[in-house]
Amino acid sequence: MRLEEAEDFTSPERACIQVMVWRTRQPQHEVAVHGLARRFFCHFLHRWSSIITDSAQTNAAKVMWEGMVAWALRDPEHYVYVWDGTGESGCLHPVRSWLAFCGHWAAFCWGAEPGSHLRRRVVISTHPLNAAHK
């Protein structure tokens, strides 16, 4: 597990970027690691209040984040945002539903172009952040 602290995306609030979670496909470890990423995620979310996708998104990380977004959107005590850093100044956009996330934001954040996610991040928070309203 490796974390980085950040304020760039949630300023002035502190947040963490979950950079790595240990995973294995080895059957002898399956019981021990089942749900491990979610348990770590929830622990860090409670400690830092916000977690942000990292800049090196893999397909496995995308799948994990999609699961965490679906979980957070079902809980009224969690907030999901997309940080759009493609303009002059980054802007947080609230994501209010799974349909909105899948219909627009997932493709926007991860895109088909290499590196498209570098300036586009998903943020999950335990409290409302200052965001643009669309």
Side-chain angles (χ1 to χ4, degrees), residues 69-70 73 95-107:
V69 166
L73 287 169
V95 178
R96 305 207 190 285
S97 71
W98 179 247
L99 185 62
F101 181 76
C102 291
H104 176 69
W105 294 114

Side-chain angles (χ1 to χ4, degrees), residues 11-126:
S11 184
E13 302 291 330
R14 281 182 48 225
C16 75
I17 299 173
Q18 185 173 339
V19 178
M20 288 189 284
V21 175
W22 180 76
R23 291 180 178 87
T24 182
R25 301 284 185 228
Q26 298 299 313
Q28 67 268 30
H29 301 299
E30 188 174 320
V31 172
V33 299
H34 180 74
L36 186 64
R38 179 170 295 199
R39 287 192 300 270
F40 274 114
F41 190 95
C42 291
H43 170 76
F44 295 130
L45 183 59
H46 178 72
R47 180 155 186 232
W48 272 275
S49 301
S50 297
I51 300 182
I52 305 162
T53 52
D54 70 349
S55 63
Q57 287 296 309
T58 63
N59 192 51
K62 178 184 175 193
V63 169
M64 190 276 300
W65 269 92
E66 287 172 338
M68 296 314 301
V69 166
W71 166 78
L73 287 169
R74 287 191 308 267
D75 187 335
E77 295 182 7
H78 293 95
Y79 303 87
V80 177
Y81 301 90
V82 168
W83 181 78
D84 178 1
T86 59
E88 287 184 29
S89 61
C91 186
L92 278 175
H93 299 277
V95 178
R96 305 207 190 285
S97 71
W98 179 247
L99 185 62
F101 181 76
C102 291
H104 176 69
W105 294 114
F108 174 80
C109 289
W110 283 287
E113 299 173 25
S116 62
H117 58 275
L118 295 174
R119 303 292 296 160
R120 304 166 183 184
R121 307 286 184 98
V122 176
V123 178
I124 296 177
S125 181
T126 57

